[in-house]
Amino acid sequence: MRILTIAKEIQQQILEEKKNGKSIGYVPTMGFLHEGHASLLKKARKENDIVVLTIFVNPLQFGPNEDFDSYPRDIEHDEKVAQSALIDYLFYPSIEEMYPDEVSVKVTVQHRTDVLCGRKRPGHFDGVATVLTKFFNIINPDKVYFGMKDAQQVAVVDGLITDFNFDIEIMPVETVREEDGLAKSSRNVYLLEEERACAHELYKGLNLAREAALHGEDNPEKLVSLISNHIMNYTNGKIDYIEVYSYPELKPLEKVSGNVIIALAVQFTTARLIDNVTFLVHNDTN
Ligand code: AMP
């Protein structure tokens, strides 16, 4: 594994690899790697000649009152995870390397951001799309891997790739969970002990709603109530949102049918957790 910190250097390396006919798989992360990230790396390893991992906590995608400074970081641990995933290049740039001057051009995302985390975190997906545009130009991958844990991010990046004509295939990867069902997340370390003990109830609530929808409940509001009652009964978390949309369009549904996402965000004392389920509801017309 080669560790590089300079954009021009990795760009040059990848160019050489491509000249030699190698396919490039790319996994963007903010580090503090866990088994969720590892499953993206594993899939990328299987499907490409060369695997590139980036670790960069991107200040552009954090709001002023968000956890940029306290976001967990552990590069030594991350290097070990990257080693054992047999990746070829780890690109770990500094903030100055990525943003040497005041940012003069930013990408603005117009669709799929007025709901879910996009509504709650104004500017977040502009920051994500801006940094990914840079990384896509630096790494020039054939395939890029994203976790469905951040399903809105997958939907937004799908739009970025199409609109900006990136010749990149997006590869969504299923959410990896703890044994009790809690979605693995770098932010789980901030849960208090008693919060960690009940955090799996978020996924349980989502599953109750999915089961209800698959058994014919087609009223989105009823699904939302089912989940919010469950979460309020079994956790002390404060519900930020619970929403139901078509996926990946993220359009409101009068009746739950077709490809559907139910997604939520819940604020605990010092950790805000997100999770979702996506599934297909068959009805008479599809
Ligand atoms: P992050 O470091 O949180 O920006 O995540 C980097 C990538 O890993 C994103 O595509 C995430 O969706 C993905 N990811 C994070 N947690 C999980 C998980 N539990 N299962 C699968 N993918 C995940």
Side-chain angles (χ1 to χ4, degrees):
M1 176 174 85
R2 290 200 57 191
I3 302 176
L4 296 169
T5 57
I6 307 298
K8 271 261 170 272
E9 281 179 14
I10 184 144
Q11 205 167 28
Q12 197 55 43
Q13 287 290 328
I14 304 284
L15 215 59
E16 289 298 317
E17 301 283 8
K18 292 203 111 173
K19 263 192 216 150
N20 293 328
K22 306 282 192 197
S23 62
I24 313 292
Y26 169 42
V27 180
T29 77
M30 298 201 297
F32 211 68
L33 302 179
H34 51 65
E35 286 162 45
H37 302 111
S39 91
L40 270 57
L41 294 171
K42 190 170 166 193
K43 195 158 194 289
R45 181 66 288 165
K46 238 190 238 161
E47 298 176 353
N48 303 274
D49 298 323
I50 297 293
V51 178
V52 182
L53 163 67
T54 57
I55 295 180
F56 182 61
V57 184
N58 174 33
L60 283 196
Q61 69 192 66
F62 287 78
N65 298 317
E66 293 182 1
D67 57 349
F68 174 73
D69 288 327
S70 62
Y71 194 83
R73 295 159 169 93
D74 187 349
I75 190 64
E76 280 169 27
H77 160 82
D78 290 349
E79 282 179 22
K80 284 186 199 139
V81 175
Q83 285 276 13
S84 52
L86 303 176
I87 68 151
D88 300 284
Y89 295 98
L90 165 58
F91 181 44
Y92 175 56
S94 65
I95 293 181
E96 295 70 33
E97 178 64 15
M98 290 300 284
Y99 305 116
D101 304 308
E102 201 179 322
V103 175
S104 55
V105 180
K106 273 192 203 168
V107 177
T108 308
V109 185
Q110 305 283 9
H111 289 292
R112 303 178 175 180
T113 50
D114 54 347
V115 296
L116 306 172
C117 283
R119 178 162 50 205
K120 299 287 175 172
R121 304 181 68 188
H124 168 70
F125 285 110
D126 294 351
V128 170
T130 301
V131 81
L132 284 175
T133 299
K134 289 170 69 71
F135 280 132
F136 288 170
N137 284 321
I138 293 166
I139 292 159
N140 195 9
D142 298 287
K143 292 189 167 96
V144 65
Y145 294 79
F146 286 97
M148 280 300 286
K149 161 145 184 300
D150 301 282
Q152 188 172 18
Q153 178 166 265
V154 173
V156 166
V157 176
D158 181 53
L160 173 72
I161 287 175
T162 305
D163 282 20
F164 281 10
N165 304 87
F166 285 112
D167 188 13
I168 302 174
E169 192 180 351
I170 186 165
M171 311 296 289
V173 180
E174 211 179 295
T175 301
V176 177
R177 298 178 178 280
E178 303 286 355
E179 245 169 58
D180 65 0
L182 172 64
K184 289 199 184 249
S185 164
S186 306
R187 291 185 169 104
N188 290 351
V189 291
Y190 292 131
L191 290 168
L192 305 180
E193 203 177 325
E194 63 272 23
E195 292 173 340
R196 172 62 194 87
C198 65
H200 64 283
E201 300 293 351
L202 273 48
Y203 186 48
K204 232 182 192 176
L206 286 167
N207 272 322
L208 286 176
R210 169 166 53 188
E211 285 309 308
L214 292 173
H215 285 92
E217 178 55 76
D218 64 1
N219 182 338
E221 284 168 24
K222 290 214 172 129
L223 298 180
V224 169
S225 307
L226 202 63
I227 302 171
S228 61
N229 288 338
H230 185 84
I231 291 176
M232 287 191 293
N233 281 337
Y234 290 100
T235 82
N236 62 353
K238 187 172 162 291
I239 294 169
D240 191 2
Y241 65 73
I242 303 171
E243 296 172 21
V244 182
Y245 296 109
S246 62
Y247 192 82
E249 301 81 7
L250 301 181
K251 297 272 187 225
L253 294 166
E254 264 173 42
K255 282 182 178 240
V256 175
S257 76
N259 278 315
V260 173
I261 182 167
I262 309 177
L264 54 75
V266 173
Q267 180 71 52
F268 288 93
T269 309
T270 46
R272 179 178 179 275
L273 301 188
I274 61 168
D275 202 352
N276 70 80
V277 288
T278 53
F279 53 97
L280 176 64
V281 178
H282 291 283
N283 61 13
D284 295 342
T285 52
N286 62 11

